[in-house]
Amino acid sequence: MGGICGWVDASGSTDPAITGRMAQALARFDQTEVRVATAQSCGIGCAGWPATSGLVQQDGLTLAVLGHPRWMPSRAAQPIEAFSAELLRAYARSGVDALKSIGGDFALVLFDGKRARTILAIDRMGVRSLVYEQVEAQLLFGSTADALAEHPRASSSIDPQAIYDYVYFHMVPGPVTARKNQRRLLPGEFLTFEGGSVKLARFWSMRFAERDDESFDKLRTEFRDALSAATARAMGSARTGAFLSGGTDSSTICGMIGANSEEPAHTYSIGFDAAGYDEMEYARIAAQHFKTDHHEYYVTPDDVVNALPRIA
C-alpha cells in the first residue's frame, strides 16, 4: 500500500519513534520499504516501493513524495528521485508556486527548516490522499487514518455526522473524515503550517468554459486526441491491462490501450450468474470489436465465502 506520514511541532520537539510507528502502519499489509527522516521540529515517514515513493533531505529542506508526479504541461513522469530534486530546486526559486506546474497523481509533504514551514499537497484529481489534524502547536498528517492513529495525540472520537453521511451518501464528503478533528485535503489543494497556524489554499482549480464557436468535428477530434494521449501517458512503458464491463468508460479505455500498443489490450471481466446483474455479454461485444486478449471469470457464492476471512 505505502504512503507518507509525520508530524510537526511548532514548539520544536520531535520523537523519531512516533514517526516510525506511523510509517510502519502504512506498510502493514505488504513488504514496502520504510524510511524516516527527522529535522528540527519535524519527523516525516515514507513507506512504499522505491519507484513510487521518495524521501530526501537537502539544504534545510525535507521532502517526501508518493505517486507518479510529472511536470506540466506535457512532460512524462520522471523517476521519483529526479522529480524530488527538481521540485526542491523549483521551490527554492518560487516557493509554493512550484506546485502549479505539477501534474500526475501524487501526495507530498515538504518541510522548510529555515522558515519553519510545512507544506502538504495532493494531486489535481485527488487520486492520492492526505489526512491531517492540528493539536495545539502540532500538525499530524498521513496518507491514512491508521497512520495518524499511531500518534499519541491523534483523535479517537468518531464523528456521528460522518457516520450519518456515510449511510446516506455511501461516502463521507470531504474535507470531513470519520473522526471529529481530522480533515483531508481536497483535490488540487495544499496546506501550509507555519507559526502554529494552518492555512488552506488551492494551486489548481478545474475550469469549464463552454465553446460554442467550434465545430463538432473539430471538438470530436480534439477530445479523441486528448483521451489517447492521456491513456498513453498512464500506460507508460509497462504492460497494461484494464477491467472491461462493456460500458462506455471501460470500453473506450480498452480501445485506446489497443490503439496505443503494439499488441492487443489485455482485458478482464467479472461475471455473475444472476439475471439482471451479468454484464458479460456487453464486455464480449467490446472485446470482439477492439480485438482484445480477453479474460473472464464468474464469481460464485463459494468465492465470497472464501474471501470473507481474508477481508476481515
Side-chain angles (χ1 to χ4, degrees):
M1 184 173 66
I4 54 180
C5 63
W7 58 294
V8 182
D9 191 333
S11 67
S13 63
T14 55
D15 184 345
I18 294 176
T19 310
R21 290 198 299 271
M22 296 172 74
Q24 288 292 340
L26 296 169
R28 184 172 295 160
F29 301 108
D30 51 35
Q31 299 299 317
T32 56
E33 181 181 354
V34 174
R35 286 152 287 174
V36 175
T38 301
Q40 181 184 2
S41 75
C42 173
I44 296 176
C46 185
W49 304 113
T52 57
S53 66
L55 179 60
V56 296
Q57 290 181 291
Q58 178 181 309
D59 299 329
L61 302 173
T62 303
L63 172 67
V65 181
L66 180 75
H68 305 85
R70 63 185 182 88
W71 294 101
M72 299 290 284
S74 59
R75 287 175 55 182
Q78 298 173 279
I80 206 76
E81 296 87 353
F83 174 85
S84 298
E86 192 167 345
L87 176 56
L88 289 178
R89 291 193 293 269
Y91 174 78
R93 290 192 306 267
S94 54
V96 295
D97 284 345
L99 297 173
K100 297 178 181 179
S101 299
I102 305 177
D105 67 281
F106 68 88
L108 66 84
V109 53
L110 192 156
F111 176 70
D112 184 339
K114 296 177 182 178
R115 299 175 178 82
R117 172 195 297 165
T118 305
I119 298 167
L120 311 180
I122 64 169
D123 58 83
R124 303 177 180 202
M125 294 289 103
V127 176
R128 304 285 171 169
S129 64
L130 276 177
V131 183
Y132 64 91
E133 177 179 0
Q134 183 175 8
V135 184
E136 298 175 353
Q138 294 181 343
L139 177 70
L140 323 179
F141 55 86
S143 295
T144 69
D146 283 348
L148 239 63
E150 293 297 327
H151 195 286
R153 301 198 66 183
S155 296
S156 59
S157 299
I158 300 295
D159 186 350
Q161 181 62 46
I163 301 302
Y164 175 88
D165 290 343
Y166 182 78
V167 173
Y168 189 84
F169 296 116
H170 296 195
M171 59 174 288
V172 180
V176 177
T177 70
R179 301 194 183 276
K180 281 187 176 180
N181 298 317
Q182 294 177 6
R183 296 290 182 268
R184 64 179 182 264
L185 291 181
L186 297 176
E189 190 172 54
F190 72 96
L191 176 154
T192 303
F193 182 66
E194 196 169 3
S197 298
V198 166
K199 294 182 180 179
L200 294 169
R202 305 191 67 81
F203 66 89
W204 182 83
S205 296
M206 182 178 289
R207 294 180 176 85
F208 175 73
E210 189 168 3
R211 294 157 54 184
D212 56 7
D213 58 340
E214 302 282 2
S215 70
F216 175 80
D217 287 342
K218 182 178 180 180
L219 292 175
R220 176 179 59 188
T221 300
E222 183 179 325
F223 176 74
R224 286 177 62 93
D225 289 346
L227 186 59
S228 178
T231 305
R233 202 160 49 229
M235 291 168 60
S237 59
R239 183 168 179 246
T240 305
F243 175 75
L244 176 59
S245 68
T248 301
D249 296 347
S250 65
S251 299
T252 300
I253 295 300
C254 291
M256 287 296 177
I257 290 175
N260 282 284
S261 176
E262 296 180 355
E263 61 181 30
H266 296 272
T267 54
Y268 302 83
S269 297
I270 295 294
F272 301 93
D273 189 15
Y277 291 92
D278 187 32
E279 300 177 315
M280 195 68 81
E281 179 183 354
Y282 302 105
R284 289 168 181 161
I285 292 172
Q288 183 176 8
H289 177 78
F290 292 118
K291 298 180 173 59
T292 73
D293 184 1
H294 191 53
H295 309 270
E296 299 179 353
Y297 185 80
Y298 273 82
V299 174
T300 68
D302 285 343
D303 290 326
V304 177
V305 172
N306 293 334
L308 283 175
R310 298 178 62 190
I311 294 172

